């Protein structure tokens, strides 16, 4: 009997005007290569976040979609939201 737990990114989506990255990780438990269970965890990354600890495929996508214009527009949006809250 050989139980294994594998966590892998199985979906990366680019969402909205500010190209938010939506990441889905799948956790698969298997025994003798037969899947016993699968669960999912999701998280998002916005253009103002540090991605240095992310996998290379996520970094590559961010480098392509997070242009200087997208980063500036997102920053302007966040600043305008923060002004409204004050």
């Amino acid at each position: 009997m050989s139980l294994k737990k594998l966590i892998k990114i199985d979906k990366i989506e680019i969402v909205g005007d500010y190209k938010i990255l939506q990441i889905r990780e799948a956790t698969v438990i298997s025994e003798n290569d037969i899947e016993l269970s699968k669960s999912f965890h999701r998280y998002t990354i916005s253009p103002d976040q540090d991605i240095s600890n992310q996998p290379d495929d996520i970094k590559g996508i961010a480098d392509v979609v997070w242009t200087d214009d997208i980063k500036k527009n997102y920053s302007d949006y966040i600043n305008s939201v923060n002004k409204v809250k004050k």
Side-chain angles (χ1 to χ4, degrees), residues 25-52:
E25 292 178 332
T27 301
V28 178
I29 306 296
S30 62
E31 180 179 15
N32 299 324
D33 296 325
I34 298 172
E35 184 177 301
L36 300 176
S37 73
K38 182 186 279 189
S39 61
F40 300 101
H41 168 74
R42 289 178 171 81
Y43 63 97
T44 60
I45 308 171
S46 56
D48 63 342
Q49 288 183 271
D50 176 21
I51 60 169
S52 60

Side-chain angles (χ1 to χ4, degrees), residues 36-79:
L36 300 176
S37 73
K38 182 186 279 189
S39 61
F40 300 101
H41 168 74
R42 289 178 171 81
Y43 63 97
T44 60
I45 308 171
S46 56
D48 63 342
Q49 288 183 271
D50 176 21
I51 60 169
S52 60
N53 291 329
Q54 293 295 322
D56 288 340
D57 54 346
I58 293 175
K59 289 178 191 175
I61 292 168
D63 286 343
V64 171
V65 299
W66 291 349
T67 63
D68 290 339
D69 284 343
I70 292 291
K71 291 178 185 178
K72 181 186 179 318
N73 291 342
Y74 184 74
S75 177
D76 291 347
Y77 167 73
I78 293 299
N79 289 334

